Amino acid sequence: MVYILAGSLLIGLTLGLLGAGGSAITVPVLIYLVGHGTKESITESMAIVGLIAVAAAVPYANSKQIDWRSVLFFGLPGMLGTLAGAWLGGVAAEALQLVVFGGVLLAAALIMLRKPGNTEANSDSSSQRSPAWKIGLEGIVAGIVTGFVGVGGGFLIVPALVILGKLPMRLAIGTSLVIIAFQAAVGFTKYEFYLVANHMSVDWQTILIFTVVGIIGSIIGRHINTRLDQQKLKSVFAGFLLLLGGFVIVHEGGKYLQASVPDSAPSGQIHTKMIQTTSLKSVFNNTGEE
């Protein structure tokens, strides 16, 4: 229970302080601290991230800081991508999923280390935006990643909305939260079908605790972030993601490689069969001689 409370509070604080990043540590916390299986943890992460995103999106909606055009052109293709990613995640080896997850953490860290541009100067006029097909394609890619590894996708969605959608940062964050909520709902539903078919299930108590404490933590983090240097905070968190991503890749990559290398057992079995065959031949030969 201590790990659950500490992990959920850390996720919420990260979301409140940075506006993203909480989902990046949800899966590792569920696997390495709480002790849940990979498939179950990814499914639970979808529910936790989706519910927290809904709560976090309410203030943005009240302030009219959500661009519904981007939700349509980015979010709907993203939901299809999430469905495809969740299907791939269901049939993929757990170690492979976590290796890819570690790679996503490294990519997220590099994105956070980049110096922010003048995002507020971006205009939201449709004449300056990228074509709808390009925004939709980016949404599909983000959705596939979200569905496959259980990451909310904020690290991919926010930069895409700023660069392709030409949205100011605050508008991009609010829009991203709505898109994440939709993608998480699709991903959770798909994984839940997989779990039921394979006689597995999520822990609803864990989901509830993570969600409630995570929302409280996000509120606390939102109040704290006004007193901290955001760029330094992002740099520290990016360093943490680099370490976490590297650990996951090394730890799970070793398992995946070990599982991929042919075992020595077959050769031993062949050798045993050869001995048995030789013994049988000698028996028949002795019988014939008699």
Side-chain angles (χ1 to χ4, degrees):
M1 180 61 71
V2 174
Y3 288 141
I4 294 177
L5 293 175
S8 56
L9 184 60
L10 177 61
I11 292 166
L13 285 172
T14 306
L15 282 169
L17 287 170
L18 303 174
S23 59
I25 58 178
T26 303
V27 174
V29 166
L30 289 171
I31 293 176
Y32 299 115
L33 292 184
V34 182
H36 290 184
T38 299
K39 305 292 187 188
E40 295 92 330
S41 296
I42 291 177
T43 309
E44 291 164 352
S45 173
M46 293 283 188
I48 294 165
V49 170
L51 292 171
I52 294 178
V54 170
V58 172
Y60 288 93
N62 292 335
S63 302
K64 298 183 179 179
Q65 292 290 334
I66 296 175
D67 182 58
W68 294 104
R69 176 185 181 275
S70 295
V71 171
L72 176 65
F73 290 113
F74 192 103
L76 291 183
M79 292 169 68
L80 294 176
T82 303
L83 187 64
W87 177 82
L88 290 172
V91 299
E94 294 184 352
L96 176 60
Q97 274 185 286
L98 291 177
V99 169
V100 175
F101 176 81
V104 173
L105 293 188
L106 297 182
L110 295 177
I111 291 174
M112 294 190 75
L113 288 173
R114 289 176 55 188
K115 292 183 179 180
N118 188 16
T119 55
E120 295 299 331
N122 292 329
S123 171
D124 62 349
S125 69
S126 58
S127 60
Q128 295 184 2
R129 294 182 178 181
S130 298
W133 68 266
K134 189 176 290 186
I135 297 176
L137 182 61
E138 185 75 17
I140 291 175
V141 173
I144 291 174
V145 173
T146 298
F148 190 74
V149 300
V151 176
F155 290 112
L156 299 173
I157 297 173
V158 173
L161 293 176
V162 172
I163 297 171
L164 298 178
K166 300 295 187 293
L167 300 182
M169 180 59 74
R170 182 169 176 80
L171 190 61
I173 292 174
T175 305
S176 172
L177 290 170
V178 176
I179 294 172
I180 288 171
F182 283 132
Q183 290 184 350
V186 172
F188 174 80
T189 302
K190 180 62 178 176
Y191 270 104
E192 182 65 13
F193 276 115
Y194 171 84
L195 293 181
V196 172
N198 289 274
H199 308 289
M200 296 185 288
S201 63
V202 298
D203 187 339
W204 286 103
Q205 182 179 0
T206 298
I207 292 175
L208 179 62
I209 294 174
F210 265 78
T211 301
V212 173
V213 179
I215 292 174
I216 295 173
S218 67
I219 296 173
I220 297 173
R222 202 176 303 132
H223 285 290
I224 296 176
N225 74 348
T226 57
R227 306 177 183 179
L228 300 176
D229 185 294
Q230 292 296 295
Q231 194 54 39
K232 288 183 179 179
L233 185 63
K234 285 186 177 181
S235 298
V236 172
F237 187 69
F240 171 73
L241 289 184
L242 287 173
L243 293 175
L244 181 59
F247 167 78
V248 172
I249 290 175
V250 172
H251 186 268
E252 301 299 333
K255 291 182 180 179
Y256 182 69
L257 290 176
Q258 186 176 5
S260 301
V261 174
D263 194 6
S264 59
S267 61
Q269 291 174 359
I270 293 174
H271 182 64
T272 303
K273 288 181 179 179
M274 291 177 63
I275 295 175
Q276 292 174 347
T277 303
T278 304
S279 301
L280 288 173
K281 285 183 178 179
S282 62
V283 170
F284 283 122
N285 289 335
N286 293 332
T287 305
E289 291 175 358
E290 294 175 357

